[in-house]
Amino acid sequence: DVKVTQSSRYLVKRTGEKVFLECVQDMDHENMFWYRQDPGLGLRLIYFSYDVKMKEKGDIPEGYSVSREKKERFSLILESASTNQTSMYLCASSLLTTEQYFGPGTRLTVT
Amino acid sequence: AQSVSQHNHHVILSEAASLELGCNYSYGGTVNLFWYVQYPGQHLQLLLKYFSGDPLVKGIKGFEAEFIKSKFSFNLRKPSVQWSDTAEYFCAVNENRDDKIIFGKGTRLHILP
């Protein structure tokens, strides 16, 4: 079974803090993704990575950056957290163009 | 740009009722199609997928979906729902040879016991 894990289920941060969300997959997948999920808006792609050190912007990259130094790990960074970044963050991985496997999500609250 | 439309944002049914959730997409080329489900408090998981072949696809827990290319549709069906089907359902599509998947906004399904 594919396993995608995320470092925290719940996180509370203050406005202006730098926030790191970590994601690890154990199936040697090339692709990894970061989404945010908001009620009524579905899943919106923030960034994705198709290989180590390679990344591509998604639909809503502003205010976020990513890092992929190892194949199994994909980090999402909020450079200076703001209240409008309060959301559920989902990480996913996939093998080339196949279905994506999701982690449990991190519910981030920025106060 | 690619888009995926789910017709219903919120559906309420009684147990044993039949279910059909609509999904339409905008891309005219070869596509892969997915339905994902998110049960309360759980992570998003794949319900079923269509890549090629028989346009009627069967998934887990008695769900099925039919790909109708001429209508750009991939509707999800279940003949008799159960209370445990209460969840949010997402339709998704990717163009063949594209790594990214476009998700619909989701349909919240609430089954009354």
Side-chain angles (χ1 to χ4, degrees), chain B residues 66-84:
Chain B
E66 186 175 12
F67 170 48
I68 302 179
K69 191 174 181 180
S70 60
K71 294 185 178 179
F72 301 91
S73 70
F74 190 55
N75 292 354
L76 182 70
R77 300 195 293 247
K78 185 171 183 178
S80 177
V81 294
Q82 300 171 304
W83 178 78
S84 58

Side-chain angles (χ1 to χ4, degrees), chain A residues 31-79:
Chain A
N31 297 331
M32 295 189 75
F33 306 82
W34 275 106
Y35 296 90
R36 62 178 282 177
Q37 182 181 14
D38 299 290
L41 296 179
L43 274 71
R44 293 181 291 168
L45 182 65
I46 304 171
Y47 267 99
F48 97 96
S49 169
Y50 49 93
D51 202 349
V52 174
K53 296 190 188 294
M54 307 304 284
K55 61 186 179 185
E56 191 172 308
K57 291 180 180 178
D59 300 317
I60 51 164
E62 296 78 19
Y64 303 94
S65 61
V66 290
S67 171
R68 193 163 179 205
E69 297 296 320
K70 293 185 178 181
K71 191 174 186 179
E72 67 272 16
R73 189 179 296 270
F74 190 36
S75 303
L76 179 70
I77 303 150
L78 285 67
E79 297 291 343

Side-chain angles (χ1 to χ4, degrees), chain B residues 7-58:
Chain B
H7 310 306
N8 310 99
H9 298 298
H10 197 182
V11 173
I12 301 173
L13 294 171
S14 297
E15 273 195 310
S18 65
L19 170 72
E20 181 159 3
L21 301 182
C23 174
N24 287 90
Y25 61 94
S26 63
Y27 181 65
T30 304
V31 293
N32 300 319
L33 297 155
F34 310 86
W35 275 97
Y36 282 84
V37 61
Q38 189 172 35
Y39 298 104
Q42 295 189 27
H43 65 275
L44 210 62
Q45 56 186 288
L46 184 70
L47 199 55
L48 50 78
K49 63 186 179 185
Y50 171 82
F51 282 9
S52 63
D54 189 343
L56 185 61
V57 179
K58 294 196 185 298

